[in-house]
């Protein structure tokens, strides 16, 4: 859908701003939506986690948030998937979101 293409373009621009690290105001004002699955958390199986991805994208789009995923259960998501070139880079790496914030139970969507 068109909204999804626009969101991916916007998301890519936000990641470029983060990578350049030359606009402190924009970076400080940037908001994130982190979907996580970590140790000692009930997350369901892989299909349970993948089915809601379009809904997560829509929520992030409507809320103007950079969508990120942090799945470490049963292993790091990066061991199975890598962001596609010219696609949505969902990794926490390269963002101001810290590992401690990811582990905090407040303000996170559990995937």
């Amino acid at each position: 859908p068109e909204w999804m293409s626009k969101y991916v373009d916007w998301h890519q621009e936000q990641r470029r701003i983060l990578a350049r690290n030359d606009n402190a105001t924009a970076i400080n004002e940037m908001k994130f939506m982190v979907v996580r699955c970590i140790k000692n958390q009930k997350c369901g199986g892989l299909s349970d986690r993948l089915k809601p991805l379009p809904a997560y994208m829509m929520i992030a789009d409507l809320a103007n948030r950079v969508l990120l995923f942090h799945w470490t259960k049963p292993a790091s998501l990066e061991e199975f998937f890598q962001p596609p070139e010219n696609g949505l880079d969902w990794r926490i790496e390269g963002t101001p979101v810290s590992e401690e914030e990811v582990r905090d139970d407040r303000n996170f969507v559990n995937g």
Side-chain angles (χ1 to χ4, degrees), residues 28-92:
N28 288 334
E29 292 176 359
M30 200 174 290
K31 297 189 183 204
F32 301 89
M33 177 177 155
V34 179
V35 180
R36 70 180 190 168
C37 178
I38 57 177
K39 185 178 179 181
N40 300 325
Q41 179 182 1
K42 292 183 181 180
C43 307
L46 183 60
S47 67
D48 293 322
R49 292 186 234 171
L50 293 176
K51 282 189 284 189
L53 291 182
Y56 292 147
M57 281 184 73
M58 181 174 277
I59 293 166
D61 180 42
L62 293 172
N64 291 319
R65 295 187 182 257
V66 177
L67 180 60
L68 303 172
F69 292 90
H70 185 71
W71 292 351
T72 60
K73 180 181 173 183
S76 173
L77 185 60
E78 289 87 341
E79 296 211 17
F80 304 101
F81 298 110
Q82 289 295 312
E85 191 172 315
N86 298 317
L88 192 137
D89 186 352
W90 42 264
R91 298 172 295 179
I92 297 280

